[in-house]
């Protein structure tokens, strides 16, 4: 709209100049005093207007009044214009009311003054009077009306004005035609605008510029550039607004080379230093990725205008050059250029990217000083800074105090809660957003789905999906990716694949989400097959892709394929292995009992192994009862994280499995000394939107009695099916009878009993557990799934287990 507004301003300047010529033709010159020359008075007054000397104009008016002179209509119109140009609208209106005679110029001059001062209804009232009183309807009348309708956002009425213009034969006039083009451009009727353009008899530079800008503003970029080339071939030299429109079209088409050619035209016509052309060129080079060239061009531009500063800061912030954005903001302040809301939004984005809470607070103070805190763009950016810096409470405070909330405001809070791990609060904010009738966007839906995924909350996820289906975001790639992730993490891997297959186009995130989903569900073969399909597509594997496929190999025990993929990362794809890749390989080797190879691989890591690597090897040692190496691994972990409860528990379990109760006591004593508490085993199951939690031996549930009755029935049926308890799964020094009793009150069995009682038979029972499922529970749930003829899904800390007809999806390898 900047290009268009300036273009109209230029057009009106030409109209005003033409009005002066019109005065000399249309005025009725009736002298009243022989000593007073009204025509000379008008000429002198005209010079004061050109000089911008409002006081001189008033003095001339006083002089004429003292002389008792009777000004003719021509002089009165010039005087009226003088008051309008000096923004003395009250004086202009008083003069207008006292004029014995008025013509079209009188009405148009005052109407343009009211329009320029945003008093549109006064201007419209004058136009109506002009029509009622039967004055001449010339081209100046229609250009004024059209600009007024555009300013009032009444562009649909321009069709009626167009009909009147056509009837009176003004449609071929360049002035009127260009005003019509602008009006139709604003309301998006490009086809009619082109018809108007083609109907102009003598097209001037402004007419060409108007149509080129119309195409550019309405995203008809190719047509805009074609018309620009046609204009150049006819010998017209573009002006600054024409070049700006052409550059905008180059940006829209991402035709950066063509944009450089237009830059050449700007250089030839010396418009390269024009503020609008310069801003468009900055945008061109920044969007094309040539940020260094954009910076060089910026340094050559005048530094007294806010727009180049603000644009360059924004592009730095959006190009992961946040430090450069902050440095440029500092230079801007030294240049005494006052930032606006867009500048602050970009600077705060840089602070959020760099996680600089103190810098954010300083800018917050500056925002308060300049009175922009209530601006929705600035307040949203401040909320984002605090949320990304882990100070979500400050974001909430700004949210509550902000008088205006848009969709970005709500999204910022929702995303902030999700990123800070408070998924339930994010869901509550989303519900409030819907209650306030704020339409969610793709950011909203993707963030809420992330919250559902982190909670493994299938029911809310299904409800959100039903909302998405009713919107246009059903085909959005980002939303589809979040749906894949949500269904995969909520145990519905088949539904995740359905979403994946229905996508119009999968990107890297889509492939990675699906591959990692298969890996988490223990479906290693499916993950690797999908990886092969990805290689045949246009998407290229990245680091996360290889985390997924290596994890799939680890979960399925596919050693040879895993080793081949690990080697191909650097060789075929140029991807340096990171700690997650080494962790997957250590777990793959350790789980298969190849401890020497695992230790050798750890020694080959080009940097210090992380806690994850040693934990992976420790987990393998626990499974294979390798106490010596397991002790070393545990020692390495505790050196880095002395208060890690999981490592203490694994070490204790390893000693308990070997019945070295003295070592178990020593570990527990160490835990007491360090005040390290074991995370209690917890399982939960969701039913009709309500989550039911269970701990080992839990008797607190309201339906405790029927739950234990169901457990007794399950115990009886499993024994009849040949199940024999594995008492070694209980790592306590007690009798076998007590061990068997303790096995049957494990939290996952209590959750299963409740699920079988209350969840409809047609639905699967989904259980989430915060620890690794024990071997005996794994065995007994396989047996139960066979005689109850239901799918039972258990999500433990490592992966999903799908139990069907006595078989688990993990193949008993986990």
């Amino acid at each position: 709209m900047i290009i268009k507004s300036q273009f109209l301003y230029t057009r009106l300047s030409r109209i005003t100049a033409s009005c002066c010529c019109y005065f000399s033709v249309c005025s009725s010159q009736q002298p009243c005093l022989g000593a007073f020359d009204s025509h000379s008075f008008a000429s002198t007054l005209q010079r004061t207007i050109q000089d911008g000397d409002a006081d001189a104009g008033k003095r001339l008016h006083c002089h004429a009044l003292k002389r008792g002179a009777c000004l003719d209509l021509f002089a009165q119109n010039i005087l009226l214009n003088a008051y309008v140009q000096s923004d003395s609208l009250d004086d202009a209106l008083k003069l207008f009311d006292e004029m014995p005679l008025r013509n079209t110029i009188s009405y148009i001059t005052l109407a343009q003054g009211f329009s320029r001062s945003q008093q549109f209804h006064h201007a419209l009232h004058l136009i109506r009077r002009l029509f009622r009183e039967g004055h001449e309807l010339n081209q100046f009348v229609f250009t004024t009306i059209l600009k007024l309708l555009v300013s009032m956002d009444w562009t649909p009425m321009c069709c009626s004005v167009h009909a009147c213009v056509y009837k009176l034969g003004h449609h071929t006039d360049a002035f009127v035609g260009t005003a019509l083009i602008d009006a139709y451009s604003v309301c998006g009727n490009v086809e009619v605008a082109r018809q108007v353009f083609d109907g102009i008899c003598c097209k001037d530079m402004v007419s060409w510029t108007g149509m080129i800008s119309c195409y550019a503003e309405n995203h008809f970029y190719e047509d805009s550039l074609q018309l620009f080339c046609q204009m150049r071939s006819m010998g017209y030299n573009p002006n600054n607004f024409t070049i700006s429109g052409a550059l905008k079209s180059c940006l829209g088409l991402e035709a950066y080379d063509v944009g450089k050619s237009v830059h050449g035209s700007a250089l030839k016509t010396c418009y390269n230093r024009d503020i609008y052309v310069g801003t468009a060129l900055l945008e061109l080079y920044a969007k094309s990725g040539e940020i260094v060239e954009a910076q060089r061009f910026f340094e050559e531009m005048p530094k007294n205008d806010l727009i180049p500063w603000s644009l360059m800061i924004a592009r730095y912030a959006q190009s992961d050059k946040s430090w450069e954005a902050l440095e440029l903001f500092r230079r801007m302040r030294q240049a005494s250029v006052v930032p606006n809301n867009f500048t602050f939004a970009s600077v705060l984005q840089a602070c959020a990217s760099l996680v600089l809470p103190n810098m954010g607070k300083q800018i917050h103070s500056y925002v308060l000083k300049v009175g922009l805190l209530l601006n929705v763009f600035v307040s949203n950016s401040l909320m984002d800074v605090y949320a990304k810096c882990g100070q979500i409470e400050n974001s909430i405070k700004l949210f509550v105090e902000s008088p205006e909330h848009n969709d970005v405001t709500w999204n910022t809070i929702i995303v902030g809660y999700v990123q800070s791990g408070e998924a339930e609060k994010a869901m509550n904010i989303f519900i409030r957003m819907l209650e306030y009738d704020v339409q969610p966007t793709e950011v909203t839906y993707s963030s809420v789905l992330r919250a559902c995924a982190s909670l493994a909350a299938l029911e809310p996820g299904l409800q959100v999906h039903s909302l998405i289906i009713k919107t246009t975001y059903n085909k959005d790639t980002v939303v589809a990716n979040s749906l894949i992730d949500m269904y995969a993490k909520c145990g519905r891997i088949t539904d995740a694949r359905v979403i994946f297959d229905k996508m119009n186009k999968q990107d890297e995130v889509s492939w990675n989400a699906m591959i990692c989903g298969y890996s988490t569900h223990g479906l290693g073969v499916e993950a690797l097959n999908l990886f092969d399909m990805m290689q045949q597509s246009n998407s290229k594997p990245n680091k996360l892709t290889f985390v997924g496929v290596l994890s799939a190999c680890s979960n399925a025990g596919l050693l040879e394929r895993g080793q081949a993929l690990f080697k191909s990362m650097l060789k075929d794809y140029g991807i340096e292995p990171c700690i997650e890749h080494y962790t997957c390989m250590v777990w793959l080797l350790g789980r298969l009992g190849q401890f020497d190879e695992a230790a050798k691989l750890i020694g080959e890591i080009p940097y210090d192994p992380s806690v994850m690597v040693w934990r992976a090897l420790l987990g393998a040692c626990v499974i294979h009862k390798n106490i010596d190496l397991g002790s070393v691994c545990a020692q390495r972990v505790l050196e880095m994280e002395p208060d890690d409860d999981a490592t203490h528990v694994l070490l204790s379990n390893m000693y308990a499995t070997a019945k070295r109760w003295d070592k178990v006591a020593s570990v527990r004593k160490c835990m007491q000394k360090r005040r390290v508490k074991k995370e209690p085993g917890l399982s939960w199951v969701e039913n009709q939107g309500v989550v039911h939690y269970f701990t080992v031996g839990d008797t607190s549930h309201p339906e405790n009695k029927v739950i234990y009755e169901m457990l007794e029935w399950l115990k009886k049926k499993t024994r009849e099916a040949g199940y024999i308890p594995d008492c070694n799964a209980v790592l306590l020094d007690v009798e076998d009878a007590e061990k068997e009793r303790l096995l049957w009150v494990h939290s996952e069995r209590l959750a299963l009993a409740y699920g079988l009682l209350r969840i409809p038979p047609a639905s699967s029972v989904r259980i989430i557990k915060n620890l690794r499922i024990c071997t005996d529970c794994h065995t007994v749930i396989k047996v139960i799934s066979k005689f109850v003829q239901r799918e039972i899904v258990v999500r433990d800390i490592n992966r999903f287990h799908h139990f069907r007809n006595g078989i688990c999806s993990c193949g008993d390898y986990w």
Side-chain angles (χ1 to χ4, degrees), residues 430-591:
F430 174 66
I431 293 170
R432 283 182 59 192
M433 181 181 181
L434 296 178
E435 290 172 350
Y436 278 91
D437 292 327
V438 180
Q439 292 300 316
T441 65
E442 67 272 25
V443 176
T444 320
Y445 286 123
S446 60
S447 300
V448 173
L449 288 168
R450 279 180 59 197
C452 296
S454 65
L455 293 170
L458 178 62
E459 288 299 326
L462 291 170
Q463 293 173 20
V464 174
H465 189 184
S466 67
L467 290 175
I468 293 169
I469 290 173
K470 300 174 184 177
T471 69
T472 57
Y473 300 118
N474 191 34
K475 302 293 183 182
D476 185 84
T477 301
V478 175
V479 175
N481 291 340
S482 299
L483 280 168
I484 293 170
D485 184 58
M486 183 274 294
Y487 278 122
K489 290 180 178 176
C490 290
R492 301 275 285 265
I493 192 65
T494 305
D495 291 333
R497 183 57 189 264
V498 169
I499 299 293
F500 177 85
D501 290 336
K502 286 184 177 180
M503 292 178 69
N504 294 328
K505 183 180 179 182
Q506 295 93 353
D507 59 10
E508 286 83 359
V509 179
S510 316
W511 291 97
N512 290 345
M514 199 65 233
I515 289 170
C516 292
Y518 274 136
S519 173
T520 307
H521 283 262
L523 304 172
V525 175
E526 288 83 349
L528 293 172
N529 289 339
L530 200 65
F531 175 70
D532 293 336
M533 289 173 60
M534 180 182 183
Q535 290 176 299
Q536 297 170 8
S537 71
N538 293 327
S539 299
K540 293 183 179 180
N542 55 24
K543 286 188 176 183
L544 184 57
T545 314
F546 279 98
V547 170
V549 293
L550 290 176
S551 177
C553 293
S554 301
N555 290 337
L558 304 173
L559 179 60
E560 291 183 3
R561 185 69 189 274
Q563 289 177 326
L565 287 168
F566 185 74
K567 291 177 181 178
S568 72
M569 281 179 59
L570 184 59
K571 180 182 177 183
D572 299 331
Y573 299 96
I575 299 174
E576 289 281 351
C578 62
I579 197 65
E580 287 81 8
H581 302 123
Y582 283 109
T583 302
C584 290
M585 290 304 297
V586 168
W587 172 247
L588 172 59
L589 292 166
R591 183 67 182 82

Side-chain angles (χ1 to χ4, degrees), residues 622-780:
V622 171
I623 292 171
H624 289 280
K625 302 175 185 178
N626 189 333
I627 297 176
D628 295 334
L629 182 58
S631 301
V632 173
C633 294
Q635 182 181 353
R636 293 294 179 88
V637 173
L638 293 175
E639 286 174 359
M640 290 181 271
E641 294 186 11
D643 298 328
D644 181 55
D645 63 320
T647 300
H648 283 96
V649 171
L650 284 174
L651 188 60
S652 174
N653 291 348
M654 191 165 53
Y655 288 137
T657 302
K659 301 190 183 305
R660 296 176 61 173
W661 303 112
D662 56 331
K663 290 289 186 178
V664 172
S666 176
V667 172
R668 291 181 178 174
K669 185 177 179 180
C670 179
M671 291 177 68
Q672 291 176 352
K673 183 179 179 181
R674 292 183 176 276
R675 296 183 179 179
V676 176
K677 292 185 178 180
K678 174 184 178 295
E679 182 182 7
L682 187 68
S683 298
W684 59 95
V685 60
E686 183 182 1
N687 181 33
Q688 297 182 348
V690 179
V691 179
H692 300 263
Y693 295 90
F694 298 91
T695 58
V696 60
D698 200 339
T699 58
S700 63
H701 196 276
E703 299 185 66
N704 180 65
K705 184 176 180 181
V706 291
I707 289 172
Y708 275 87
E709 287 176 357
M710 172 59 80
L711 279 180
E712 287 298 321
W713 181 80
L714 291 174
K715 184 189 296 186
K716 177 183 176 184
K717 297 292 290 183
T718 51
R719 282 185 174 176
E720 291 174 357
Y723 157 73
I724 299 174
D726 180 9
C727 294
N728 292 325
V730 179
L731 303 177
L732 295 173
D733 190 13
V734 294
E735 297 296 327
D736 284 353
E738 178 61 12
K739 286 183 178 181
E740 184 178 351
R741 187 192 70 80
L742 291 172
L743 284 173
W744 275 98
V745 293
H746 275 191
S747 61
E748 53 264 55
R749 300 195 197 192
L750 293 170
L752 175 60
Y754 174 82
L756 292 173
L757 281 167
R758 295 292 175 250
I759 296 175
S763 302
S764 60
V765 179
R766 296 171 53 257
I767 299 168
I768 312 296
K769 184 175 173 62
N770 66 335
L771 301 176
R772 186 176 184 269
I773 186 173
C774 77
T775 54
D776 190 69
C777 285
H778 191 271
T779 301
V780 79

